[in-house]
Amino acid sequence: MLRVHFTAQDLARTRVADGADPLWETVLSLHSLRECRTEPALADWRQHAVRHGPGPLRDLLPLVPLHGYFPDFLTPFASLDGVEPGLEAVMSTPRERLRTELTLLAGHRALPGWLRGIAEGEPAALRQLARSLRTYHHLAIAPGWPRIAQRVGADRALRMHALGQSGAEAMLRTFGPVMRWRPPVLEVAYPVQRELFLEGRGLVFVPSYFCRDEPVALVDEALPPVLVYPAREPESAHAEGPRFRMYGSEALRDVPALIGGRVGTRIAAGIRSAE
């Protein structure tokens, strides 16, 4: 469980993002791509994504494992303003932070050696990462953006109605069952035990199409606090994913090959030795 501690100042500064965050959707879609769910809603999208994104996926999948930690620098606060501001922020991530976050990732799993260039803040490596994020977003996410935006917008309207009518605490009560408001703490379904003290900074709630089951928060508590959560599907809507034309049913068999099964060597030692 994640316990988010609010003060009166935090309640006054808490808000819902204006719309879907393109980099959060891009990164979280990499989970949906590999999940063993049988939802017909996402079947066409998975086939489309794998068909069109094998190049970017080779760069992105090692950074975003199916379970557990992925680096905070992939989803900067600036991406709330759009893809390009977000990618500029990714490429501007301080070297020390890159190394810290990739060392943390390497502590959980083996990583390909080429990620050392990102860990060392090499401009060419960061440009390649931004290019992969942009290309994958353009090919796999952007075509379905109207449907993504529609669901996120409907969810946001529900939260904003509660906020406008009765205030922040009323809005916090709308997030069940994955969140429970027990003043002054918001209890959030989460895979590990965490305490997050907002300390007057407020919280930005980011409704997401590709966030499934449990909300997601940044690991680095020094960063602006955000909580990404599954956008509620309108009751009148059918469960549908972003629509794409059908491709061959064998498309998904390529996913394991894109990450090479057991990938490369750890980069943790190389990162630490460069300090």
Side-chain angles (χ1 to χ4, degrees):
M1 177 182 292
L2 169 65
R3 290 167 44 86
V4 186
H5 297 259
F6 286 76
T7 64
Q9 189 175 26
D10 292 314
L11 288 171
R13 292 183 174 178
T14 289
R15 65 185 180 90
V16 181
D18 292 338
D21 182 305
L23 288 191
W24 272 107
E25 296 296 344
T26 297
V27 169
L28 293 176
S29 77
L30 296 170
H31 292 159
S32 295
L33 188 66
R34 291 170 288 175
E35 288 175 338
C36 296
R37 297 173 182 265
T38 58
E39 296 175 59
L42 293 176
D44 292 357
W45 171 77
R46 288 190 184 102
Q47 292 173 3
H48 174 95
V50 174
R51 177 89 173 202
H52 289 274
L57 287 174
R58 290 188 181 93
D59 291 339
L60 300 179
L61 291 179
L63 286 167
V64 186
L66 179 56
H67 301 290
Y69 174 78
F70 59 85
D72 290 338
F73 68 77
L74 294 173
T75 54
F77 196 76
S79 66
L80 286 169
D81 295 325
V83 176
E84 292 307 319
L87 294 178
E88 286 294 328
V90 170
M91 290 188 290
S92 300
T93 306
R95 177 183 176 187
E96 180 179 356
R97 183 178 159 200
L98 292 168
R99 295 166 72 184
T100 297
E101 294 186 11
L102 286 174
T103 297
L104 181 57
L105 181 63
H108 294 278
R109 65 198 69 251
L111 298 178
W114 57 261
L115 284 177
R116 187 177 294 110
I118 295 175
E120 294 176 354
E122 295 178 0
L126 289 170
R127 286 195 298 270
Q128 176 59 36
L129 172 60
R131 187 178 304 115
S132 293
L133 285 166
R134 181 186 293 108
T135 300
Y136 175 72
H137 176 85
H138 175 72
L139 295 176
I141 307 300
W145 195 256
R147 188 173 299 278
I148 292 168
Q150 181 182 37
R151 180 180 294 188
V152 167
D155 182 281
R156 184 179 188 276
L158 183 154
R159 315 302 173 188
M160 294 303 295
H161 177 77
L163 178 65
Q165 291 291 314
S166 305
E169 291 195 66
M171 181 185 73
L172 293 176
R173 293 189 180 97
T174 69
F175 288 107
V178 294
M179 305 184 220
R180 179 178 298 178
W181 175 237
R182 291 185 170 178
V185 175
L186 181 67
E187 297 178 344
V188 182
Y190 209 69
V192 297
Q193 291 293 325
R194 282 187 61 188
E195 305 285 335
L196 174 58
F197 293 87
L198 299 177
E199 300 178 329
R201 296 173 294 173
L203 181 65
V204 179
F205 286 94
V206 182
S208 167
Y209 180 89
F210 281 107
C211 183
R212 300 286 167 143
D213 300 328
E214 295 176 340
V216 184
L218 298 172
V219 171
D220 187 348
E221 295 181 7
L223 297 171
V226 300
L227 189 63
V228 182
Y229 67 93
R232 181 180 299 181
E233 182 184 351
E235 293 181 2
S236 60
H238 297 290
E240 292 183 343
R243 289 183 174 177
F244 303 97
R245 69 182 181 87
M246 287 291 292
Y247 290 97
S249 60
E250 298 299 308
L252 284 179
R253 70 182 181 184
D254 296 330
V255 171
L258 296 177
I259 55 175
R262 293 178 174 272
V263 290
T265 58
R266 290 188 183 274
I267 63 170
I271 296 171
R272 294 193 184 101
S273 65
E275 294 178 348

